[in-house]
Amino acid sequence: TFWKGEIGKPLVRSQNTHKLCGKIVQRSQHKYASNVVEKCLEFGDAAEREFLIDEILLQFEDNDNLLVMMKDQFANYVVQKILEISNDTQRETLLHRIRLHLIAFFLFSKFKNAFLCVNINFIGDQKE
């Protein structure tokens, strides 16, 4: 593996980090590839870490990389690793986003049953 014997070689480490470009979320969701992402975060220099974290923080209308990773059984370990190694600014951004997602999870789970009951009652009323 590249981080055991070649962690001291910045060029090799940088090449491996850049191979993850555009694939961080997908690689983080894989049992073994998520370990590679974690090692890149742990042993990469500040610029490489920022590069990886920025990709994870990407958010589109229909897709939020961080949310996808928080829900995944392997990718959530990558999120935890980021919280361990990130600088103060990155950590604050991550924690803010994580809090928003947790609030949304809580509200959804709290009101999910109420919404289901309303929908079931509505459907029942329509049949009569």
Side-chain angles (χ1 to χ4, degrees):
T1 56
F2 71 87
W3 60 82
K4 285 186 180 175
E6 299 180 38
I7 196 60
K9 298 181 181 179
L11 179 61
V12 173
R13 186 182 60 229
S14 181
Q15 288 171 341
N16 284 306
T17 300
H18 286 285
K19 286 179 186 176
L20 292 172
C21 180
K23 302 173 189 164
I24 304 267
V25 175
Q26 294 83 2
R27 296 295 188 253
S28 296
Q29 292 174 311
H30 185 271
K31 183 176 182 175
Y32 300 109
S34 67
N35 294 325
V36 174
V37 175
E38 285 185 55
K39 294 298 181 183
C40 286
L41 285 162
E42 186 175 359
F43 294 110
D45 62 26
E48 291 165 343
R49 275 197 293 272
E50 186 173 349
F51 172 79
L52 296 172
I53 292 170
D54 285 348
E55 183 173 326
I56 290 166
L57 290 174
L58 282 177
Q59 187 175 6
F60 304 101
E61 275 186 34
D62 60 342
N63 190 25
D64 184 331
N65 288 345
L66 181 61
L67 179 60
V68 169
M69 291 177 70
M70 287 172 58
K71 291 177 167 182
D72 185 80
Q73 64 178 334
F74 302 116
N76 73 71
Y77 289 106
V78 175
V79 174
Q80 291 174 44
K81 178 58 75 176
I82 293 168
L83 288 170
E84 287 177 25
I85 56 93
S86 58
N87 64 39
D88 292 340
T89 304
Q90 293 166 330
R91 190 175 303 108
E92 280 304 313
T93 302
L94 280 162
L95 288 173
H96 174 73
R97 294 267 303 278
I98 289 169
R99 282 185 200 109
L100 292 175
H101 291 311
L102 290 176
I103 290 168
F105 285 148
F106 172 76
L107 291 174
F108 177 75
S109 65
K110 185 160 180 74
F111 296 108
K112 176 176 66 174
N113 290 335
F115 291 131
L116 289 174
C117 290
V118 169
N119 287 337
I120 290 170
N121 288 335
F122 178 77
I123 292 168
D125 291 342
Q126 297 297 314
K127 290 181 181 179
E128 294 175 9

